[in-house]
Amino acid sequence: MVLDQLYQQAVLAHNREPKNAFVMKSATHSALGNNALCGDELQVYLDVLDEEIKSASFNGDACAIATASASIMTEWLGGRSTEDARAGAEAFENMLFDRPFDRDFIGEGVLLEAVAAFPSRIKSATLCWHAMIAALDGVDEITTE
Amino acid sequence: MPQSDLHNSAVGGWDVGAIRSNFPILSRKVHGKPLVYLDTAASAQRPSVVIDAVTNFYTGHNANVHRGVHTLSQEATELWENARESMREFIGAASCREIIFTRGMTEGVNLVAQSFVRPRVGQGDKIMITAMEHHSNIVPWQLVCEQTGAELVIIPVNNRGEVELEAFAEMLDEQVKMLAVMHVSNALGSINPVAKMCRMAKEYNIPVLIDGAQATPHLQVDVQAIDCDFYCVSGHKMYGPTGSGVLYGRENLLEAMPPYHGGGEMIRTVTFEKSTWNDLPSKFEAGTPNIAGGIGLGAAAQFIQGIGRENIRTYEADLLNYGTRRLEEIDGLRIIGTAAEKASVMSFIIEGTHPHDIGTIIDHAGVAIRTGHHCAMPILKQFGVVGTARASLGMYNTREEIDVLVAAVEKACVMLR
Ligand SMILES: Cc1ncc(COP(=O)(O)O)c(C=O)c1O
């Protein structure tokens, strides 16, 4: 059943013990992602040098889908170019809107593929990605409804 | 369990099976499970009499109102004005001139804010609301404050979700030019002592508007007994059509107010130099209204009265007690909003889980609840949460449905933790 795919163990594990869930004091870029409707709030931190994301972290209070997504994303971002990061955001969104995307490229992000069947939850899954792009663009806060 | 076994609870002669048979949608399935609709506070389901009233208007009498000499127009006008009379009786207003059809609660409060309050306030004046208001009873007043320089002041609410009446008494003074307060809270379920607050405000000649959106589906409402100046009713919360509602206003106040919207129907004469206004209530009903919606709303009021608001109140109070007790059995669950006087609403959070995940998971058990901030962000902030899961009751809900809710939430917790 799709619900079991949405809340599969691998996703729930990322929610229970998220990776990179801390306030990064040394961050060069940071932005708050705010899902006004459900109250999800995630601060995303990036340590960027010469267009390379050396590491990423996040902090906040959000649902399991948003938290797992942020955990997966921050793991994925470490060591990638900012160009790759933007491409990753696009590929992830394509996956959730049932458009063609590069499965190998987004790695563990495919764990959230089932979100595509839950239109009301897509914004939960994409919140961290939007915040990451905002951080790269020098925007402090983005709100999704 | 077969449907018939699920819904045979009868409390004190109340036959909930018979009530349910009025609501066609309740027999549908969601994800293969019988629908358990616990989101009446967001929007109630409609009984057949309301659906039929709307259909009957379109199939048999459709025409514009107050316009034509032809038969259909006269029939439409009669149905429309009969619906107004039903609403007058339903909320105990003295005259149909005091009943203005609106699109819902939100339009009513904006009308009063702009036509009544805005011309009467300025720098140094205060508009008073409670800390638990719905955004629709906050934002229109913030707009007036921006437009006039008046100040918005907030009556505190205690940690059970009750208005602090002592603080309220101390805040009252001649500078307060308007009090706006909700009758029943959609986020917490609190029933506010609105009649008492009106009496207290009256000592300072403060006009009072009451947001009755969550009251009319659950409580006996009598605007003359409450002695308020304005009362906003939302149609879709009281088993009526979406985009329908009424604003009650005291006749002398409505008389003195300028129109809110300009257009057809609300005028007596128009020249390019000057127009003159129609009588009440037409003065506030510019343009072609939601005729079918208003007629459906009148049917909803009659339907509720046919069942009896005392009966509804008694039944729902028992159900609310049962639901609260059952939910509290869930490990780590905290009810948000524990006022002594409550109606319909069980708002909760569960340690280690997020309301959104609970909502998504139990939807797959056929259970519809609301999750999020319920358009009441300030009061949730006071309780230290950004959102809750909210199960809200209507006359058609049953103890068996509460059991389905509790089992589904328990399962969701196991899954998430
Ligand atoms: C307490 C309260 N006030 C006002 C409203 C807004 O009512 P309407 O949808 O009729 O504008 C709602 C509904 O969300 C409500 O619950």
Side-chain angles (χ1 to χ4, degrees), chain A residues 22-35:
Chain A
F22 60 89
V23 177
M24 193 193 291
K25 294 264 164 46
S26 60
T28 55
H29 297 67
S30 179
L32 180 70
N34 193 338
N35 185 333

Side-chain angles (χ1 to χ4, degrees), chain B residues 41-42 103-107 134 136-137 182 184-186 211 213-214 233-237 244 370 374-375 390:
Chain B
R103 284 186 291 123
M105 179 278 171
T106 302
E107 186 180 1
H134 186 277
S136 61
N137 204 21
M182 68 198 325
V184 175
S185 161
N186 63 308
D211 166 5
Q214 298 291 346
V233 175
S234 169
H236 70 105
K237 311 275 190 196
S244 71
R370 174 92 182 261
H374 319 303
C375 296
R390 179 189 71 185

Side-chain angles (χ1 to χ4, degrees), chain B residues 106 109-111 113-114 117-118 121 127 129 135-152 260:
Chain B
T106 302
V109 64
N110 278 282
L111 189 161
Q114 291 299 317
V117 180
R118 185 177 175 185
V121 298
I127 297 170
I129 62 174
H135 297 165
S136 61
N137 204 21
I138 302 174
V139 182
W141 305 116
Q142 288 174 328
L143 290 173
V144 170
C145 288
E146 273 174 29
Q147 289 155 345
T148 62
E151 181 195 358
L152 190 66
Y260 176 46

Side-chain angles (χ1 to χ4, degrees), chain A residues 7 16 36 38 40 64 121, chain B residues 354 356-357 360 364 373 415 417:
Chain A
Y7 290 103
R16 270 184 222 112
C38 48
D40 284 341
R121 304 304 303 279
Chain B
H354 191 282
H356 254 67
D357 299 311
T360 297
H364 281 249
H373 58 56
M415 202 164 160
R417 277 175 179 159

